């Protein structure tokens, strides 16, 4: 299953006829170019691009080369390289720290990049003819969502100069970074971001969550007025202008699905794309506009892997450009997702062993359940990362591998997840390791009560990144629920995490959710799983990439050391594995297989499965 070809970061060429995309049909991630009319796909790279397809690609202005991010074995300290149609590769931007390509001037003269070269993530302009790099912004908090105006006279970006860590505002400045101006849009504490320039360079498509559910707006820079769209029934995210700026595409989040829509700017009329229920996507920093009133998008369902589609937003007809490859599998081999909601106070019936909480506000929490078909069935609880993210009705390779191994799977969109509005996200502020972890444990209790064929003695918690933090926390807070735990690239020590993660994660993640580490030192200590390592009461498997710069490998080492100090024995009470040549997870086929084999081996030895079919 891990060897099935995967597409990532498709982006349309300047003439609208070709699509650059990462594709690993050869067994390794390579850059390919797809002809949108003929369907022919050509491989441009041969090992020069990274094995892990984490970061996006972008076309050069002439359509003859593609820029890509290159790091050292997944450490995300990227430089920017370019590859042309002959396969020739050259370094374009080499700077200390992390470099992220935001935009390419359409006349081909310059790149707009973000970089942590001087500490915090700020913006730089790279002149491609002279090789000169000019710093454009100098903010204390991270700057992002940046783009050139089509006439190259201005840039738009998101930044925060307020006293509220959660705030984000839209700024417009001259191309050299001078004369920055904050647009008066959202309220303080809300997130307002620029998304796309109108073709005439006088309008901005913007996103804002001042009214709780995220909304789409068009800001007219000539009169400094914004027009908001939508009826507020769903969380909506703008994508890009289409039809020469007369319309724009957006997505709506509905009960674990993502639905694309197109708005007519003059009338405000909205039309939903005609697609099967699932998750549609338009890429991160991608160009989407194909020739002929068409947009490029991806689409997936729990039982169908990601495919590339061209969608005509006038006729509402769709064409498959790159089909999902299921190899020897059929969609019937994969488990479908059941979406449900349950009430949670953030305090489960299972006694807390680390930090006790009074009941929180009773909230309706969403979750996805995948039935393995085995009776009885062990269960893997798989909290998502982020924490600002959500699980959805998309194809999840890790879930399907676990199902093939005989485990039913539970995913929980705990308070703090996206898709439910700003207030739901802010439930997690100042409370890591609080109500959201109670939501996860309550979800486990709920499905064990609902499905009597689940084996309550074989429940495992497994997660990565913030899901790894959740795994550690579940293991020390609610150890009575679990027969084993698998913590992958997870956070364990919040003070150490703050000191060693990248600067923009310090401000945009740690300070936003937990405040200043000196002022809130007690909270950082209280909500660190290492503080309660002695509560681990079942086999624990610790997995971490040695090149992880988001969640440094010191996090795994500190928890291992804490276990050792409490008398736990490696190999008996816990298992530990550092993954070489890997950072914060990986999409590389060989690295995925290595991780899956480690998971399957641990689960088989420590938990086991009953390989009897549902019919039996």
């Amino acid at each position: 299953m891990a060897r099935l070809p995967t597409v990532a970061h498709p982006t349309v060429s300047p003439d609208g006829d070709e699509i650059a995309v990462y594709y690993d049909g050869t067994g390794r991630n390579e850059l390919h170019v797809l002809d949108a009319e003929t369907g022919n796909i050509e491989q441009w790279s041969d090992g020069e691009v990274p094995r892990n397809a984490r970061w996006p690609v972008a076309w050069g202005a002439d359509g003859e080369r593609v820029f890509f991010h290159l790091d050292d074995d997944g450490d995300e300290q990227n430089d920017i390289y370019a590859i042309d149609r002959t396969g020739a590769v050259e370094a374009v931007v080499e700077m200390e720290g992390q470099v992220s390509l935001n935009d390419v001037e359409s006349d081909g003269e310059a790149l707009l990049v973000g970089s942590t070269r001087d500490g915090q993530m700020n913006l730089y302009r790279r002149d491609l003819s002279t090789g000169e790099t000019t710093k454009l912004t100098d903010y204390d908090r991270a700057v992002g969502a940046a783009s050139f105006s089509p006439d190259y006279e201005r840039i738009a970006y998101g930044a925060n100069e307020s006293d509220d860590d959660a705030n984000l505002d839209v700024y417009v400045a001259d191309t050299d970074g001078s004369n920055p101006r904050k647009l008066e849009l959202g309220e303080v504490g809300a997130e307002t971001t620029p998304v796309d320039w109108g073709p005439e360079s006088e309008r901005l498509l913007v996103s804002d969550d001042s009214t709780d559910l995220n909304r789409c707006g068009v800001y007219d820079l000539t009169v400094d007025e914004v027009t908001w769209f939508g009826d507020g029934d769903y969380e909506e995210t703008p994508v890009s202008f289409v039809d020469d700026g007369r319309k724009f595409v957006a997505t709506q989040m509905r009960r674990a699905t993502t639905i694309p829509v197109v708005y007519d700017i003059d009338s405000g009329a909205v039309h939903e794309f005609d697609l099967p229920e699932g998750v549609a996507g338009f890429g991160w920093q991608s160009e989407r506009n194909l020739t002929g009133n068409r947009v490029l998008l991806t689409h997936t369902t729990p039982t169908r892997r990601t495919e590339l589609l061209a969608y005509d937003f006038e006729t509402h007809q769709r064409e498959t450009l790159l089909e999902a490859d299921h190899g020897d599998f059929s969609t019937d081999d994969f488990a479908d997702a059941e979406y449900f909601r349950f009430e949670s106070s953030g305090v489960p019936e299972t006694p807390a062993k680390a930090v006790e909480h009074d009941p929180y506000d009773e909230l309706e929490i969403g979750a996805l359940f995948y039935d393995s078909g085995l009776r009885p069935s062990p269960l893997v609880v798989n909290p998502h990362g982020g924490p600002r993210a959500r699980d959805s009705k998309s194809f999840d390779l890790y879930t399907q591998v676990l199902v093939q191994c005989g485990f039913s799977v539970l995913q929980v969109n705990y308070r703090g997840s996206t898709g439910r509005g700003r207030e739901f996200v802010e439930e997690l502020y100042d409370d890591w390791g609080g109500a959201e972890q109670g939501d996860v444990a309550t979800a486990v209790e709920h499905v064990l009560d609902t499905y009597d064929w689940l084996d309550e003695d074989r429940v495992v918690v497994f997660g990565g990144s913030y899901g790894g933090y959740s795994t550690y926390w579940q293991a020390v807070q609610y150890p009575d629920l679990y027969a084993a735990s698998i913590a992958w690239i997870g956070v364990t020590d919040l003070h150490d995490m703050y000191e060693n993660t990248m600067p923009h994660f310090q401000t945009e993640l740690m300070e936003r959710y937990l405040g200043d580490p000196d002022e809130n030192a007690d909270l950082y200590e209280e909500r660190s799983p290492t503080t309660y390592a002695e509560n681990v009461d079942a086999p624990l498997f610790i997995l971490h990439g040695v090149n992880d710069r988001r969640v440094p490998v010191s996090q795994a080492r500190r928890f291992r050391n804490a276990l050792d100090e409490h008398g736990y024995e490696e190999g008996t009470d816990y298992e530990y594995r550092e993954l070489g040549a890997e950072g914060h997870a990986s999409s590389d086929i060989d690295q995925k297989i290595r991780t899956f084999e480690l998971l399957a081996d641990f689960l088989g030895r420590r938990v086991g499965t009953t390989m009897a079919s549902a019919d039996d």
Side-chain angles (χ1 to χ4, degrees), residues 241-278:
F241 285 108
V242 294
D243 196 18
D244 295 325
R246 292 187 288 267
K247 298 181 175 72
F248 70 85
V249 172
T251 58
Q252 294 180 349
M253 291 188 177
R254 305 182 189 175
R255 298 179 68 86
T257 65
T258 302
I259 309 298
V261 297
V262 58
Y263 277 97
D264 184 283
I265 293 175
D266 290 334
S267 68
V270 60
H271 199 296
E272 181 181 320
F273 283 30
D274 182 18
L275 293 168
E277 182 182 76

Side-chain angles (χ1 to χ4, degrees), residues 442-461:
T442 301
V444 177
E445 294 173 341
H446 176 81
V447 295
L448 291 176
D449 289 341
T450 302
Y451 305 109
D452 59 8
W453 42 264
L454 287 174
D455 188 343
E456 64 180 12
D457 293 326
R458 290 186 294 158
V459 180
V460 180
V461 58

Side-chain angles (χ1 to χ4, degrees), residues 346-377:
V347 178
E349 294 180 4
T350 302
K353 295 295 179 68
V355 180
E356 293 187 1
H357 302 279
D358 293 329
Y360 296 82
D361 292 339
E362 192 87 9
L363 292 180
E364 193 176 50
I365 304 298
L368 294 165
F369 183 73
Y370 296 80
D371 182 357
S372 70
L374 300 182
R375 302 295 184 266
S377 175

Side-chain angles (χ1 to χ4, degrees), residues 54 95 129 171 227 302 305 313 317 357 400 402 534 613:
R54 177 183 297 278
M95 299 169 67
S129 60
Y171 287 75
T227 302
R305 303 177 75 247
F313 54 82
Q317 300 295 311
H357 302 279
Q400 298 299 340
L402 290 168
E534 73 274 14
S613 71

Side-chain angles (χ1 to χ4, degrees), residues 147-162:
S147 60
F148 290 117
S149 62
D151 61 8
Y152 332 128
E153 294 184 0
R154 290 180 285 188
I155 58 173
Y157 56 88
N160 180 19
E161 293 182 287
S162 78

Side-chain angles (χ1 to χ4, degrees), residues 538-560:
L540 167 65
F541 190 15
I542 299 173
L543 280 165
H544 215 109
V546 297
N547 294 325
D548 195 339
R549 293 298 297 269
R550 297 192 183 205
V551 181
V553 70
S554 60
Q555 294 290 292
R557 293 170 181 172
R558 292 179 80 86
F559 200 86
R560 176 190 60 183

Side-chain angles (χ1 to χ4, degrees), residues 329-505:
F329 296 91
S330 74
T331 56
D332 293 336
D333 293 321
F334 304 125
D336 205 351
E338 174 196 347
Y339 179 77
F340 65 93
R341 287 186 175 181
F342 62 97
E343 295 294 326
S344 173
S345 68
V347 178
E349 294 180 4
T350 302
K353 295 295 179 68
V355 180
E356 293 187 1
H357 302 279
D358 293 329
Y360 296 82
D361 292 339
E362 192 87 9
L363 292 180
E364 193 176 50
I365 304 298
L368 294 165
F369 183 73
Y370 296 80
D371 182 357
S372 70
L374 300 182
R375 302 295 184 266
S377 175
L379 175 68
V380 169
V381 183
N382 178 221
H384 65 70
R388 196 161 182 179
R390 69 168 186 161
D391 286 311
S392 59
K393 287 190 173 183
S394 60
F395 187 88
D396 188 315
L397 179 61
Y398 284 81
T399 294
Q400 298 299 340
V401 168
L402 290 168
V403 169
Q404 293 287 332
C405 290
F407 289 83
S408 295
V409 176
L410 172 66
Q411 297 174 330
V412 186
N413 287 329
Y414 46 78
R415 64 192 75 199
S417 302
T418 55
R420 300 276 297 277
R422 171 183 161 198
E423 291 181 6
F424 195 78
V425 166
E426 291 178 348
E427 289 282 341
L428 193 50
Y429 287 5
D430 302 316
D431 196 39
W432 277 22
E436 96 284 9
Q437 298 302 321
D439 293 338
V440 173
T442 301
V444 177
E445 294 173 341
H446 176 81
V447 295
L448 291 176
D449 289 341
T450 302
Y451 305 109
D452 59 8
W453 42 264
L454 287 174
D455 188 343
E456 64 180 12
D457 293 326
R458 290 186 294 158
V459 180
V460 180
V461 58
F462 157 60
S465 194
Y466 192 82
Y469 171 82
S470 294
T471 297
Y472 284 114
W473 195 259
Q474 293 288 310
V476 299
Q477 177 80 329
Y478 308 112
D480 293 345
L481 278 177
Y482 303 105
S485 304
I486 304 171
W488 178 38
I489 52 176
V491 177
T492 70
D493 185 309
L494 298 179
H495 282 289
D496 179 79
M497 172 70 177
Y498 186 90
E499 289 298 321
N500 291 297
T501 190
M502 291 181 281
H504 43 301
F505 284 97

